[in-house]
Amino acid sequence: MKNTNYLIIGSGVAGLTLALRLATQFPGKNITIVTKSNADESNTKYAQGGIAIVIDKNEDSYQKHISDTLICGDGLCDEAVVKMVITEGPKRLKELIEWGAKFDKNPDGNLNLGKEGGHSENRVVHHKDQTGYEIERAILMQTLQKENIIVLDHHFAVDLITEENCCLGITILDEKTKQLQTYKSDFTILATGGIGHLYGHTTNPVIATGDGIAMACRAGATIKEMEFIQFHPTAFYEASTGSKFLISEAVRGFGAYLRTKQGHRFMKDYDSRQELASRDIVSQSIDLELKKSGDDYVYLDCTHLDPEAFKKHFPMIYRHCLTAGIDIAKDWIPVVPAQHYLCGGIVVDTNGRTSVTNLFACGECSQTGLHGANRLASNSLLEALVYSGRIYEYLANPDLEIKTADSKISEKEKVNKPEIDSEYLAELKTKLQYLMRQNAGIVRSDIDLQNAKEQLLKWKNEMEQIERTQQVFVSYYELLNMITIGSLIVSQSLERQENRGGFVKLKMPSFV
Ligand code: FAD
Ligand code: SIN
């Protein structure tokens, strides 16, 4: 058994910035970061567009950003949270710059501000089309220099240890030695990111399997609004499943058009904001167009844009297209909606506290009330930065009392069992992803959802039977977590009776 003061699970923007703040404030305390892959692997690393922050107070205002966020969230945002997050944004950006993150500037030295769907003004602070990579680089470098932070990479958090609704620590699997370890902590923070691989077609990297939310669910934490899955309208079309390359919304902010295969600019038929309508509306419109035409993708047309300026703003997207044989100056880019973000998650208060004592959640795995039924583009990095600041301020309060359950954690005993068949797990994962795409995708129905619910319950029982008889590792735990997340999405979709934002349920199954 090991002891640590602060145990942070996840090394994306939420986990690392919180670790940095705590390490600086409490040089005498130790912070342990547990992360299941390389330390930099995260959704954060792939963020393209940027961070939405009100900078130019002549053109823009907090009120405009608040109003855009509320409209996008379709009546389900918590207005007090929206105000808090948006007004704290500039302070958090300043810290990020102090940690060494660099953002694009205009020749006059002011930050260059991009525009994305649902935003009424240019307010997206960015580093070309690799904003997340730049942020992760800067904060990881700072983290590795702190003597009181230990980063356990390739360590998988399996489960929270709780007693009397109080979190005492976690069980971790060392992926190299395949040994389970127990960590006891004063405070545990889940910063485990999203769920994309549950859908197979996703912009998320493979780490996004919803582990933190599933762990919190098993520990009895409140989980809400899991039905609000955000599908990004423009992932680069590939027939195979897996992580898909994102064509940033900032490209539409830069002037690109969406067209059917026949060349029709269909967004004019759906919303007066056309290509810059919010993400839910654009994805739902593409989905409808594809169902009407039977095509597999629509096109993003950049041929009327200045190619040199495009290359300067979006060098990674330009290169990706060129490698796939598409010259954006002459060819249209095939795009399709793909799972991108989870708006719901582990419910937290404005200090990031979950309903379990001493357990916090931050970033994409949390549900703060900022996003409501649909997240406004580039509000996610902002949310993670603001809430890591809020959690830090709460924990740094000198009057904070540490409440602990009076108990001794017992170590898990190793029992020798035959190793699990990984082929079986891979097949089940493919079936699960297909089920989620078919029955819990952009458009759902109660019949589809009910069928999915029954299937998911069967798989959950099968998985539990496996664990009793076989030695299990990361791929098993991830699959079990994905089944748990699938069940939460399906049951909360069944409960929701009205269509809002990114949630659309029809009376009949979607294939009718
Ligand atoms: P992540 O960055 O995903 O980090 C999660 C961490 O938890 C990872 O280190 C992971 O390995 C670890 N982890 C997970 N489970 C376990 C476990 N069981 N044990 C140990 N470790 C675990 N948002 C914006 O605001 N602006 C953008 O421009 C933008 N662009 C995006 C582009 C892409 C392609 C994608 C995928 C997302 C984008 N987003 C954007 C969303 C945003 O990047 C994420 O929501 C945000 O980075 C999440 O940060 P996080 O720290 O909560 O989680
Ligand atoms: C993008 O660049 O389109 C992604 C922005 C986001 O998810 O906020």
Side-chain angles (χ1 to χ4, degrees):
M1 164 120 45
K2 300 211 167 110
N3 281 291
T4 187
N5 297 110
Y6 303 100
L7 189 56
I8 299 177
I9 309 166
S11 54
V13 63
L16 292 183
T17 56
L18 178 58
L20 277 176
R21 296 178 209 280
L22 290 169
T24 311
Q25 174 71 14
F26 302 115
K29 294 201 174 182
N30 57 65
I31 296 114
T32 304
I33 300 177
V34 178
T35 191
K36 69 177 173 178
S37 181
N38 293 336
D40 69 339
E41 192 57 355
S42 56
N43 275 6
T44 299
K45 182 178 163 186
Y46 299 92
Q48 292 188 1
I51 320 173
I53 298 190
V54 176
I55 303 280
D56 176 359
K57 297 220 177 77
N58 290 325
E59 292 292 320
D60 201 2
S61 67
Y62 289 139
Q63 197 44 52
K64 284 188 191 172
H65 189 182
I66 290 166
S67 160
D68 293 345
T69 302
L70 294 175
I71 291 170
C72 198
D74 205 5
L76 292 188
C77 301
D78 178 329
E79 206 166 329
V81 166
V82 174
K83 279 187 190 147
M84 178 191 89
V85 172
I86 285 169
T87 52
E88 288 189 15
K91 179 164 85 179
R92 299 307 173 200
L93 176 69
K94 192 167 165 275
E95 283 170 331
L96 207 46
I97 293 171
E98 282 163 7
W99 284 319
K102 296 195 167 42
F103 298 102
D104 292 353
K105 289 191 173 161
N106 294 324
D108 63 7
N110 291 322
L111 286 166
N112 179 273
L113 303 174
K115 194 170 186 184
E116 293 178 25
H119 288 276
S120 55
E121 296 294 342
N122 283 47
R123 65 169 74 98
V124 182
V125 178
H126 57 96
H127 178 101
K128 303 200 185 302
D129 50 3
Q130 293 152 65
T131 310
Y133 189 90
E134 172 59 13
I135 293 173
E136 186 72 21
R137 178 201 66 73
I139 56 181
L140 185 57
M141 203 166 87
Q142 294 286 336
T143 302
L144 297 176
Q145 285 167 12
K146 292 277 179 202
E147 282 179 5
N148 54 340
I149 301 181
I150 300 169
V151 181
L152 298 174
D153 60 0
H154 297 279
H155 281 66
F156 185 91
V158 176
D159 254 322
L160 298 163
I161 302 165
T162 54
E163 202 180 279
E164 295 163 13
N165 197 42
C166 179
C167 182
L168 308 176
I170 58 170
T171 314
I172 302 169
L173 180 76
D174 178 333
E175 293 170 35
K176 286 186 185 135
T177 64
K178 296 189 174 177
Q179 296 297 313
L180 283 174
Q181 299 168 352
T182 304
Y183 268 75
K184 195 170 180 301
S185 56
D186 298 337
F187 298 102
T188 303
I189 300 98
L190 293 168
T192 47
I195 61 146
H197 274 268
L198 178 54
Y199 280 84
H201 291 297
T202 176
T203 62
N204 294 186
V206 289
I207 50 99
T209 53
D211 303 333
I213 304 171
M215 277 188 265
C217 180
R218 287 193 287 273
T222 309
I223 317 282
K224 223 172 89 177
E225 298 190 348
M226 295 293 286
E227 67 275 32
F228 294 117
I229 309 291
Q230 186 168 77
F231 294 86
H232 196 291
T234 57
F236 190 91
Y237 172 76
E238 281 162 67
S240 59
T241 54
S243 299
K244 295 195 180 302
F245 183 78
L246 180 73
I247 307 292
S248 175
E249 196 152 300
V251 172
R252 274 175 285 133
F254 197 67
Y257 301 146
L258 280 163
R259 295 187 188 278
T260 60
K261 274 193 179 170
Q262 283 66 39
H264 176 53
R265 260 187 81 188
F266 58 89
M267 277 314 298
K268 289 181 173 187
D269 307 336
Y270 294 96
D271 195 287
S272 59
R273 294 168 293 176
Q274 302 176 31
E275 280 83 359
L276 284 179
S278 57
R279 214 166 262 185
D280 53 338
I281 293 170
V282 182
S283 288
Q284 286 159 21
S285 308
I286 297 176
D287 189 62
L288 243 154
E289 286 296 322
L290 294 180
K291 281 182 178 140
K292 274 197 302 197
S293 64
D295 293 335
D296 290 331
Y297 50 85
V298 293
Y299 283 112
L300 190 66
D301 174 8
C302 305
T303 56
H304 54 290
L305 304 174
D306 173 356
E308 288 313 312
F310 188 99
K311 266 189 243 177
K312 188 164 168 271
H313 281 273
F314 309 110
M316 180 173 66
I317 295 173
Y318 177 79
R319 276 197 309 274
H320 184 92
C321 290
L322 210 56
T323 310
I326 289 158
D327 176 354
I328 61 97
K330 294 194 294 238
D331 310 314
W332 297 346
I333 311 170
V335 290
V336 71
Q339 193 287 346
H340 182 62
Y341 185 82
L342 172 67
C343 298
I346 309 161
V347 176
V348 294
D349 67 9
T350 49
N351 293 315
R353 291 187 303 175
T354 70
S355 59
V356 175
T357 307
N358 294 347
L359 179 68
F360 295 73
C362 189
E364 188 167 342
C365 68
S366 67
Q367 192 274 345
T368 63
L370 175 69
H371 309 310
N374 179 45
R375 173 178 66 100
L376 181 65
S378 288
N379 265 358
S380 169
L381 295 170
L382 172 68
E383 180 191 50
L385 288 168
V386 169
Y387 271 83
S388 104
R390 303 286 306 182
I391 296 174
Y392 157 73
E393 276 163 14
Y394 178 83
L395 292 175
N397 181 346
D399 298 330
L400 179 71
E401 275 178 45
I402 305 181
K403 286 189 215 132
T404 48
D406 185 21
S407 71
K408 207 168 160 289
I409 302 178
S410 51
E411 301 258 9
K412 276 204 175 174
E413 277 180 32
K414 193 168 186 283
V415 186
N416 282 331
K417 292 185 258 187
E419 284 199 7
I420 192 161
D421 172 5
S422 53
E423 232 169 79
Y424 168 81
L425 292 181
E427 274 170 27
L428 186 49
K429 182 169 153 189
T430 306
K431 284 188 201 160
L432 170 66
Q433 291 170 330
Y434 182 77
L435 180 80
M436 290 306 289
R437 285 199 298 277
Q438 292 300 310
N439 293 37
I442 297 180
V443 178
R444 303 169 207 170
S445 76
D446 278 338
I447 297 173
D448 285 343
L449 290 164
Q450 193 55 44
N451 289 338
K453 189 176 171 179
E454 284 158 27
Q455 184 59 62
L456 287 162
L457 187 61
K458 279 189 202 148
W459 285 336
K460 182 172 174 276
N461 292 338
E462 264 180 48
M463 293 290 281
E464 282 168 0
Q465 174 64 17
I466 287 174
E467 197 177 357
R468 278 195 283 275
T469 54
Q470 296 171 51
Q471 193 70 40
V472 296
F473 303 111
V474 170
S475 51
Y476 168 87
Y477 292 124
E478 285 186 336
L479 186 56
L480 180 67
N481 289 338
M482 285 195 275
I483 291 172
T484 304
I485 299 297
S487 304
L488 285 164
I489 293 170
V490 162
S491 55
Q492 297 189 3
S493 298
L494 279 164
E495 278 160 26
R496 182 157 292 283
Q497 297 305 328
E498 52 172 8
N499 293 346
R500 291 279 186 123
F503 180 79
V504 184
K505 197 159 72 171
L506 301 179
K507 296 257 177 300
M508 297 299 287
S510 53
F511 54 81
V512 174

